[in-house]
Amino acid sequence: MNEQLVMDTPSIAVTARHILIFDRGAKTLAVYDSFKQKEKISFDQPIIDAAISESGAVIVAHKTEGYKSQLTVYDNAYRERYKWYASDTYVTATAVYGIPTRFACAGIRLGGEEMTCEVLCFDAKKQEPIARIPIAGSFVYDLRIVDGSTAVCVTDQGYFILDMNKESVKFSGSFGQNTLSCYDISNSCLVFGFSGRTDNGYELLTVDLSGGKKTEHYLPAAAQSTATFGQTVYVMYGDCYYRLGHETMLGESQRGEYRIDTAKDGSLLAMSTKQVRYVK
């Protein structure tokens, strides 16, 4: 694929097979495979957020007349399968799993003079949410569904590992006074990098999703970006790339590289505004 897209506030979501691209505040999104555009979907009102599953299902939060926001869900053939209108929740983040099987959204719920941050969980076979889980936060950074029953939400105040079936928080942690500089979520762990220096160095926190175990690591410089593949954690700091727990440098960053990610086979990728390259 070689196509230039111009957007004011671009957002991109990548799976092993698909690329979802949209412009926040615009009214159109596009889904690509490795070679060409597969689908283009347009709305009457601006897009707030969107997500795509490994199977290719798409969820979109967008504005709508008469409600705070609306969810529209498409299957992996891009046929509309579900709509839900939010009368009291400003949706800011979305997640979808399967073809779709489960999906979720997070946002701010208004009740009188109070505002509550919450995650709403859905089953594709049921019209109303199967769970509404309140969490601490005033802004949602990210929302993911890591399997059919577990969701992860990251807010400005901390992280929350949620049981979608039991409508409960399984594990959580507060960021306290730490300033979050980067994070990543895999199907088995979370990793958070903080910008404030401590007596031991710059903290990098890993969290095991299955048991909630937290492990603190300390770096000589603040993490610029992190990436996970299973239990393997990569970190970029000091303009170099490392695998956590190994002191050997994997490589130095090249001009313009600002973040890292992992390929389908676990290889480390370095990204700039113009290219993506394999590090190792």
Side-chain angles (χ1 to χ4, degrees):
M1 184 181 75
N2 184 10
E3 181 177 348
Q4 184 176 2
L5 299 174
V6 179
M7 298 182 177
D8 293 329
T9 52
S11 295
I12 183 170
V14 179
T15 72
R17 299 178 181 178
H18 306 93
I19 301 173
L20 171 69
I21 301 174
F22 65 97
D23 199 353
R24 294 182 189 274
K27 300 179 181 180
T28 302
L29 62 78
V31 179
Y32 294 81
D33 62 16
S34 300
F35 305 102
K36 62 181 180 179
Q37 181 175 295
K38 295 186 65 176
E39 190 70 20
K40 195 171 186 178
I41 305 173
S42 297
F43 302 88
D44 294 332
Q45 299 290 331
I47 297 171
I48 301 168
D49 190 53
I52 190 167
S53 73
E54 290 288 341
S55 301
V58 173
I59 182 172
V60 185
H62 53 97
K63 295 182 179 181
T64 190
E65 294 293 337
Y67 294 88
K68 299 295 188 293
S69 44
Q70 176 185 332
L71 295 181
T72 306
V73 183
Y74 301 85
D75 63 19
N76 54 1
Y78 310 106
R79 296 170 296 198
E80 186 180 298
R81 291 301 190 188
Y82 195 97
K83 282 186 177 181
W84 184 76
Y85 297 90
S87 60
D88 57 0
T89 302
Y90 289 95
V91 175
T92 58
T94 57
V96 61
Y97 178 84
I99 59 174
T101 307
R102 292 283 178 89
F103 44 97
C105 67
I108 302 298
R109 183 182 186 185
L110 302 179
E113 296 181 355
E114 296 184 355
M115 293 191 301
T116 304
C117 190
E118 66 175 1
V119 176
L120 290 81
C121 306
F122 297 81
D123 187 301
K125 297 179 180 180
K126 299 180 180 180
Q127 182 59 37
E128 293 300 318
I130 60 172
R132 299 186 80 135
I133 307 173
I135 56 175
S138 56
F139 183 81
V140 176
Y141 289 134
D142 208 341
L143 178 65
R144 308 274 183 92
I145 301 176
V146 295
D147 59 36
S149 61
T150 303
V152 175
C153 189
V154 180
T155 76
D156 57 331
Q157 295 187 24
Y159 66 87
F160 305 85
I161 303 171
L162 311 173
D163 188 321
M164 299 173 67
N165 293 327
K166 296 183 179 180
E167 198 169 359
S168 63
V169 178
K170 296 167 64 175
F171 311 105
S172 65
S174 172
F175 296 149
Q177 299 300 314
N178 292 329
T179 300
L180 185 66
S181 61
C182 57
Y183 69 90
D184 196 34
I185 302 170
S186 75
N187 289 340
S188 56
C189 75
L190 313 177
V191 57
F192 302 99
F194 301 101
S195 59
R197 182 175 178 81
T198 69
D199 292 340
N200 296 318
Y202 292 87
E203 183 182 352
L204 189 79
L205 177 68
T206 57
V207 182
D208 177 63
L209 283 181
S210 61
K213 180 182 178 182
K214 298 185 289 186
T215 305
E216 296 175 351
H217 312 266
Y218 291 94
L219 308 175
Q224 297 164 266
S225 181
T226 61
T228 56
F229 186 82
Q231 294 287 349
T232 300
V233 176
Y234 297 101
V235 58
M236 174 186 181
Y237 66 87
D239 294 323
C240 296
Y241 304 116
Y242 299 87
R243 186 170 66 182
L244 193 63
H246 298 258
E247 295 182 359
T248 304
M249 182 178 63
L250 299 177
E252 296 182 356
S253 65
Q254 296 182 5
R255 183 176 181 181
E257 291 177 347
Y258 67 97
R259 61 165 292 197
I260 55 176
D261 207 335
T262 54
K264 185 179 180 181
D265 62 358
S267 301
L268 180 62
L269 303 174
M271 300 184 180
S272 71
T273 56
K274 295 184 178 181
Q275 69 174 13
V276 178
R277 70 176 179 93
Y278 282 93
V279 176
K280 195 167 185 178

